mmCIF file of all heavy atoms in Angstrom:
data_model
loop_
_atom_site.group_PDB
_atom_site.id
_atom_site.type_symbol
_atom_site.label_atom_id
_atom_site.label_comp_id
_atom_site.label_asym_id
_atom_site.label_seq_id
_atom_site.Cartn_x
_atom_site.Cartn_y
_atom_site.Cartn_z
ATOM 1 N N ASP R 741 -19.313 13.250 -33.735
ATOM 2 C CA ASP R 741 -18.969 11.984 -34.358
ATOM 3 C C ASP R 741 -18.431 11.000 -33.300
ATOM 4 O O ASP R 741 -18.034 11.402 -32.211
ATOM 5 C CB ASP R 741 -17.898 12.198 -35.421
ATOM 6 C CG ASP R 741 -18.408 12.984 -36.613
ATOM 7 O OD1 ASP R 741 -19.645 12.968 -36.843
ATOM 8 O OD2 ASP R 741 -17.603 13.610 -37.307
ATOM 9 N N ARG R 742 -18.401 9.747 -33.680
ATOM 10 C CA ARG R 742 -17.802 8.739 -32.829
ATOM 11 C C ARG R 742 -16.291 8.814 -32.976
ATOM 12 O O ARG R 742 -15.745 8.714 -34.080
ATOM 13 C CB ARG R 742 -18.292 7.346 -33.219
ATOM 14 C CG ARG R 742 -17.901 6.250 -32.272
ATOM 15 C CD ARG R 742 -18.593 4.947 -32.600
ATOM 16 N NE ARG R 742 -20.036 5.031 -32.481
ATOM 17 C CZ ARG R 742 -20.844 3.985 -32.600
ATOM 18 N NH1 ARG R 742 -20.329 2.770 -32.817
ATOM 19 N NH2 ARG R 742 -22.147 4.138 -32.502
ATOM 20 N N ASP R 743 -15.601 9.008 -31.868
ATOM 21 C CA ASP R 743 -14.164 9.242 -31.875
ATOM 22 C C ASP R 743 -13.392 8.096 -31.224
ATOM 23 O O ASP R 743 -13.850 7.477 -30.250
ATOM 24 C CB ASP R 743 -13.821 10.531 -31.095
ATOM 25 C CG ASP R 743 -14.353 11.778 -31.797
ATOM 26 O OD1 ASP R 743 -14.407 11.777 -33.042
ATOM 27 O OD2 ASP R 743 -14.683 12.733 -31.097
ATOM 28 N N PHE R 744 -12.197 7.882 -31.740
ATOM 29 C CA PHE R 744 -11.300 6.879 -31.170
ATOM 30 C C PHE R 744 -10.832 7.309 -29.788
ATOM 31 O O PHE R 744 -10.553 8.489 -29.554
ATOM 32 C CB PHE R 744 -10.103 6.729 -32.091
ATOM 33 C CG PHE R 744 -8.986 5.906 -31.513
ATOM 34 C CD1 PHE R 744 -9.043 4.527 -31.512
ATOM 35 C CD2 PHE R 744 -7.856 6.535 -30.961
ATOM 36 C CE1 PHE R 744 -8.030 3.763 -30.970
ATOM 37 C CE2 PHE R 744 -6.839 5.788 -30.415
ATOM 38 C CZ PHE R 744 -6.913 4.395 -30.440
ATOM 39 N N VAL R 745 -10.731 6.313 -28.875
ATOM 40 C CA VAL R 745 -10.209 6.575 -27.538
ATOM 41 C C VAL R 745 -8.917 5.788 -27.283
ATOM 42 O O VAL R 745 -7.890 6.349 -26.929
ATOM 43 C CB VAL R 745 -11.245 6.239 -26.468
ATOM 44 C CG1 VAL R 745 -10.653 6.421 -25.081
ATOM 45 C CG2 VAL R 745 -12.501 7.073 -26.630
ATOM 46 N N ALA R 746 -9.005 4.464 -27.471
ATOM 47 C CA ALA R 746 -7.854 3.603 -27.157
ATOM 48 C C ALA R 746 -7.981 2.308 -27.948
ATOM 49 O O ALA R 746 -9.093 1.893 -28.294
ATOM 50 C CB ALA R 746 -7.794 3.318 -25.669
ATOM 51 N N ALA R 747 -6.835 1.677 -28.175
ATOM 52 C CA ALA R 747 -6.820 0.394 -28.866
ATOM 53 C C ALA R 747 -5.773 -0.508 -28.258
ATOM 54 O O ALA R 747 -4.777 -0.045 -27.654
ATOM 55 C CB ALA R 747 -6.550 0.583 -30.361
ATOM 56 N N ILE R 748 -5.958 -1.818 -28.417
ATOM 57 C CA ILE R 748 -5.041 -2.794 -27.872
ATOM 58 C C ILE R 748 -4.884 -3.923 -28.872
ATOM 59 O O ILE R 748 -5.855 -4.349 -29.504
ATOM 60 C CB ILE R 748 -5.535 -3.288 -26.503
ATOM 61 C CG1 ILE R 748 -4.495 -4.148 -25.812
ATOM 62 C CG2 ILE R 748 -6.876 -4.028 -26.626
ATOM 63 C CD1 ILE R 748 -4.785 -4.365 -24.329
ATOM 64 N N SER R 749 -3.652 -4.416 -28.988
ATOM 65 C CA SER R 749 -3.376 -5.505 -29.921
ATOM 66 C C SER R 749 -3.954 -6.817 -29.402
ATOM 67 O O SER R 749 -4.351 -6.929 -28.239
ATOM 68 C CB SER R 749 -1.865 -5.659 -30.124
ATOM 69 O OG SER R 749 -1.232 -5.976 -28.910
ATOM 70 N N ARG R 750 -3.963 -7.822 -30.249
ATOM 71 C CA ARG R 750 -4.550 -9.106 -29.873
ATOM 72 C C ARG R 750 -3.815 -9.710 -28.695
ATOM 73 O O ARG R 750 -4.438 -10.412 -27.878
ATOM 74 C CB ARG R 750 -4.531 -10.062 -31.071
ATOM 75 C CG ARG R 750 -3.158 -10.390 -31.619
ATOM 76 C CD ARG R 750 -3.246 -11.423 -32.736
ATOM 77 N NE ARG R 750 -3.467 -12.756 -32.186
ATOM 78 C CZ ARG R 750 -3.425 -13.883 -32.906
ATOM 79 N NH1 ARG R 750 -3.164 -13.800 -34.208
ATOM 80 N NH2 ARG R 750 -3.663 -15.051 -32.363
ATOM 81 N N SER R 751 -2.534 -9.484 -28.575
ATOM 82 C CA SER R 751 -1.763 -10.037 -27.470
ATOM 83 C C SER R 751 -1.874 -9.177 -26.201
ATOM 84 O O SER R 751 -1.558 -9.640 -25.117
ATOM 85 C CB SER R 751 -0.292 -10.121 -27.858
ATOM 86 O OG SER R 751 0.250 -8.815 -28.016
ATOM 87 N N GLY R 752 -2.272 -7.936 -26.386
ATOM 88 C CA GLY R 752 -2.286 -6.996 -25.263
ATOM 89 C C GLY R 752 -0.960 -6.262 -25.084
ATOM 90 O O GLY R 752 -0.852 -5.374 -24.245
ATOM 91 N N GLY R 753 0.014 -6.597 -25.898
ATOM 92 C CA GLY R 753 1.345 -6.016 -25.735
ATOM 93 C C GLY R 753 1.516 -4.642 -26.301
ATOM 94 O O GLY R 753 2.485 -3.922 -25.974
ATOM 95 N N VAL R 754 0.612 -4.242 -27.161
ATOM 96 C CA VAL R 754 0.686 -2.920 -27.788
ATOM 97 C C VAL R 754 -0.616 -2.163 -27.530
ATOM 98 O O VAL R 754 -1.706 -2.714 -27.714
ATOM 99 C CB VAL R 754 0.921 -3.012 -29.317
ATOM 100 C CG1 VAL R 754 0.967 -1.617 -29.933
ATOM 101 C CG2 VAL R 754 2.191 -3.777 -29.611
ATOM 102 N N THR R 755 -0.491 -0.945 -27.053
ATOM 103 C CA THR R 755 -1.668 -0.095 -26.823
ATOM 104 C C THR R 755 -1.429 1.270 -27.455
ATOM 105 O O THR R 755 -0.285 1.664 -27.706
ATOM 106 C CB THR R 755 -1.953 0.087 -25.325
ATOM 107 O OG1 THR R 755 -0.796 0.646 -24.686
ATOM 108 C CG2 THR R 755 -2.293 -1.247 -24.670
ATOM 109 N N TYR R 756 -2.530 1.954 -27.727
ATOM 110 C CA TYR R 756 -2.434 3.284 -28.332
ATOM 111 C C TYR R 756 -3.632 4.100 -27.849
ATOM 112 O O TYR R 756 -4.734 3.572 -27.707
ATOM 113 C CB TYR R 756 -2.470 3.165 -29.858
ATOM 114 C CG TYR R 756 -2.206 4.478 -30.558
ATOM 115 C CD1 TYR R 756 -0.923 4.986 -30.647
ATOM 116 C CD2 TYR R 756 -3.257 5.188 -31.136
ATOM 117 C CE1 TYR R 756 -0.691 6.205 -31.280
ATOM 118 C CE2 TYR R 756 -3.026 6.401 -31.759
ATOM 119 C CZ TYR R 756 -1.750 6.900 -31.836
ATOM 120 O OH TYR R 756 -1.504 8.092 -32.461
ATOM 121 N N TYR R 757 -3.374 5.423 -27.601
ATOM 122 C CA TYR R 757 -4.408 6.281 -27.037
ATOM 123 C C TYR R 757 -4.500 7.594 -27.807
ATOM 124 O O TYR R 757 -3.475 8.099 -28.324
ATOM 125 C CB TYR R 757 -4.082 6.617 -25.579
ATOM 126 C CG TYR R 757 -3.959 5.419 -24.671
ATOM 127 C CD1 TYR R 757 -2.742 4.775 -24.493
ATOM 128 C CD2 TYR R 757 -5.081 4.928 -23.985
ATOM 129 C CE1 TYR R 757 -2.622 3.661 -23.679
ATOM 130 C CE2 TYR R 757 -4.969 3.824 -23.163
ATOM 131 C CZ TYR R 757 -3.740 3.186 -23.012
ATOM 132 O OH TYR R 757 -3.634 2.097 -22.202
ATOM 133 N N VAL R 758 -5.685 8.155 -27.814
ATOM 134 C CA VAL R 758 -5.819 9.515 -28.298
ATOM 135 C C VAL R 758 -5.130 10.435 -27.270
ATOM 136 O O VAL R 758 -5.089 10.135 -26.062
ATOM 137 C CB VAL R 758 -7.312 9.881 -28.464
ATOM 138 C CG1 VAL R 758 -8.032 9.947 -27.135
ATOM 139 C CG2 VAL R 758 -7.460 11.184 -29.223
ATOM 140 N N ASP R 759 -4.543 11.525 -27.756
ATOM 141 C CA ASP R 759 -3.739 12.372 -26.876
ATOM 142 C C ASP R 759 -4.524 12.869 -25.640
ATOM 143 O O ASP R 759 -3.961 12.991 -24.556
ATOM 144 C CB ASP R 759 -3.243 13.601 -27.659
ATOM 145 C CG ASP R 759 -2.095 13.257 -28.600
ATOM 146 O OD1 ASP R 759 -1.533 12.140 -28.480
ATOM 147 O OD2 ASP R 759 -1.781 14.098 -29.468
ATOM 148 N N SER R 760 -5.810 13.128 -25.810
ATOM 149 C CA SER R 760 -6.582 13.723 -24.730
ATOM 150 C C SER R 760 -6.758 12.806 -23.519
ATOM 151 O O SER R 760 -7.157 13.280 -22.456
ATOM 152 C CB SER R 760 -7.940 14.181 -25.238
ATOM 153 O OG SER R 760 -8.665 13.091 -25.750
ATOM 154 N N VAL R 761 -6.503 11.506 -23.689
ATOM 155 C CA VAL R 761 -6.679 10.587 -22.556
ATOM 156 C C VAL R 761 -5.378 9.961 -22.083
ATOM 157 O O VAL R 761 -5.367 9.228 -21.105
ATOM 158 C CB VAL R 761 -7.706 9.472 -22.879
ATOM 159 C CG1 VAL R 761 -9.002 10.069 -23.393
ATOM 160 C CG2 VAL R 761 -7.134 8.445 -23.840
ATOM 161 N N LYS R 762 -4.290 10.244 -22.785
ATOM 162 C CA LYS R 762 -2.998 9.669 -22.389
ATOM 163 C C LYS R 762 -2.640 10.052 -20.963
ATOM 164 O O LYS R 762 -2.769 11.201 -20.556
ATOM 165 C CB LYS R 762 -1.896 10.141 -23.337
ATOM 166 C CG LYS R 762 -1.913 9.485 -24.690
ATOM 167 C CD LYS R 762 -0.793 9.987 -25.574
ATOM 168 C CE LYS R 762 -0.836 9.317 -26.943
ATOM 169 N NZ LYS R 762 0.194 9.864 -27.858
ATOM 170 N N GLY R 763 -2.207 9.057 -20.197
ATOM 171 C CA GLY R 763 -1.855 9.294 -18.797
ATOM 172 C C GLY R 763 -3.033 9.205 -17.856
ATOM 173 O O GLY R 763 -2.844 9.193 -16.616
ATOM 174 N N ARG R 764 -4.267 9.158 -18.383
ATOM 175 C CA ARG R 764 -5.465 9.086 -17.533
ATOM 176 C C ARG R 764 -6.206 7.763 -17.760
ATOM 177 O O ARG R 764 -6.775 7.204 -16.809
ATOM 178 C CB ARG R 764 -6.410 10.234 -17.834
ATOM 179 C CG ARG R 764 -5.802 11.611 -17.601
ATOM 180 C CD ARG R 764 -6.862 12.706 -17.703
ATOM 181 N NE ARG R 764 -7.479 12.789 -19.023
ATOM 182 C CZ ARG R 764 -8.779 12.663 -19.270
ATOM 183 N NH1 ARG R 764 -9.624 12.462 -18.264
ATOM 184 N NH2 ARG R 764 -9.265 12.770 -20.508
ATOM 185 N N PHE R 765 -6.226 7.281 -18.975
ATOM 186 C CA PHE R 765 -6.951 6.041 -19.316
ATOM 187 C C PHE R 765 -5.979 4.922 -19.586
ATOM 188 O O PHE R 765 -4.877 5.147 -20.117
ATOM 189 C CB PHE R 765 -7.810 6.260 -20.557
ATOM 190 C CG PHE R 765 -8.995 7.157 -20.407
ATOM 191 C CD1 PHE R 765 -9.167 7.964 -19.291
ATOM 192 C CD2 PHE R 765 -9.966 7.212 -21.399
ATOM 193 C CE1 PHE R 765 -10.270 8.798 -19.146
ATOM 194 C CE2 PHE R 765 -11.065 8.028 -21.285
ATOM 195 C CZ PHE R 765 -11.200 8.833 -20.168
ATOM 196 N N THR R 766 -6.395 3.704 -19.263
ATOM 197 C CA THR R 766 -5.598 2.521 -19.549
ATOM 198 C C THR R 766 -6.480 1.431 -20.152
ATOM 199 O O THR R 766 -7.486 1.053 -19.514
ATOM 200 C CB THR R 766 -4.919 1.987 -18.289
ATOM 201 O OG1 THR R 766 -4.097 3.015 -17.702
ATOM 202 C CG2 THR R 766 -4.049 0.778 -18.610
ATOM 203 N N ILE R 767 -6.117 0.957 -21.307
ATOM 204 C CA ILE R 767 -6.821 -0.159 -21.922
ATOM 205 C C ILE R 767 -6.066 -1.452 -21.613
ATOM 206 O O ILE R 767 -4.822 -1.476 -21.615
ATOM 207 C CB ILE R 767 -6.985 0.034 -23.437
ATOM 208 C CG1 ILE R 767 -7.889 -1.017 -24.027
ATOM 209 C CG2 ILE R 767 -5.634 0.106 -24.143
ATOM 210 C CD1 ILE R 767 -8.270 -0.763 -25.504
ATOM 211 N N SER R 768 -6.796 -2.506 -21.329
ATOM 212 C CA SER R 768 -6.188 -3.803 -21.067
ATOM 213 C C SER R 768 -7.168 -4.891 -21.509
ATOM 214 O O SER R 768 -8.325 -4.617 -21.800
ATOM 215 C CB SER R 768 -5.838 -3.954 -19.584
ATOM 216 O OG SER R 768 -7.003 -3.868 -18.761
ATOM 217 N N ARG R 769 -6.671 -6.112 -21.530
ATOM 218 C CA ARG R 769 -7.536 -7.214 -21.917
ATOM 219 C C ARG R 769 -7.133 -8.458 -21.153
ATOM 220 O O ARG R 769 -5.970 -8.651 -20.797
ATOM 221 C CB ARG R 769 -7.496 -7.449 -23.417
ATOM 222 C CG ARG R 769 -6.169 -7.949 -23.973
ATOM 223 C CD ARG R 769 -6.155 -7.906 -25.519
ATOM 224 N NE ARG R 769 -7.125 -8.819 -26.076
ATOM 225 C CZ ARG R 769 -7.542 -8.772 -27.336
ATOM 226 N NH1 ARG R 769 -7.077 -7.804 -28.154
ATOM 227 N NH2 ARG R 769 -8.406 -9.653 -27.806
ATOM 228 N N ASP R 770 -8.129 -9.323 -20.936
ATOM 229 C CA ASP R 770 -7.930 -10.614 -20.334
ATOM 230 C C ASP R 770 -8.484 -11.628 -21.302
ATOM 231 O O ASP R 770 -9.710 -11.842 -21.366
ATOM 232 C CB ASP R 770 -8.640 -10.662 -18.963
ATOM 233 C CG ASP R 770 -8.382 -11.975 -18.225
ATOM 234 O OD1 ASP R 770 -8.019 -12.979 -18.878
ATOM 235 O OD2 ASP R 770 -8.565 -11.981 -17.011
ATOM 236 N N ASN R 771 -7.622 -12.234 -22.081
ATOM 237 C CA ASN R 771 -8.069 -13.150 -23.127
ATOM 238 C C ASN R 771 -8.719 -14.416 -22.560
ATOM 239 O O ASN R 771 -9.567 -15.024 -23.182
ATOM 240 C CB ASN R 771 -6.938 -13.509 -24.058
ATOM 241 C CG ASN R 771 -6.583 -12.344 -25.001
ATOM 242 O OD1 ASN R 771 -7.375 -11.424 -25.192
ATOM 243 N ND2 ASN R 771 -5.384 -12.396 -25.559
ATOM 244 N N ALA R 772 -8.326 -14.773 -21.352
ATOM 245 C CA ALA R 772 -8.935 -15.946 -20.711
ATOM 246 C C ALA R 772 -10.406 -15.683 -20.351
ATOM 247 O O ALA R 772 -11.214 -16.595 -20.301
ATOM 248 C CB ALA R 772 -8.186 -16.339 -19.471
ATOM 249 N N LYS R 773 -10.731 -14.408 -20.129
ATOM 250 C CA LYS R 773 -12.097 -14.025 -19.773
ATOM 251 C C LYS R 773 -12.846 -13.393 -20.952
ATOM 252 O O LYS R 773 -13.976 -12.944 -20.786
ATOM 253 C CB LYS R 773 -12.096 -13.053 -18.599
ATOM 254 C CG LYS R 773 -11.571 -13.667 -17.299
ATOM 255 C CD LYS R 773 -11.643 -12.666 -16.163
ATOM 256 C CE LYS R 773 -11.152 -13.287 -14.851
ATOM 257 N NZ LYS R 773 -11.213 -12.334 -13.732
#
């Protein structure tokens, strides 16, 4: 199945990760781009 990996709020101030990628993956966003 398609599984969740990471999410980020509209501001970028809140992030959340599945346990298996915590500490290895980082989600970020550049709203200007």
Side-chain angles (χ1 to χ4, degrees):
D741 293 335
R742 189 172 297 187
D743 293 328
F744 170 79
V745 176
I748 189 166
S749 62
R750 60 176 285 188
S751 67
V754 179
T755 58
Y756 187 77
Y757 301 89
V758 67
D759 285 348
S760 61
V761 308
K762 285 181 181 177
R764 301 188 297 123
F765 290 12
T766 303
I767 188 172
S768 61
R769 66 190 296 164
D770 184 338
N771 286 341
K773 294 183 178 179

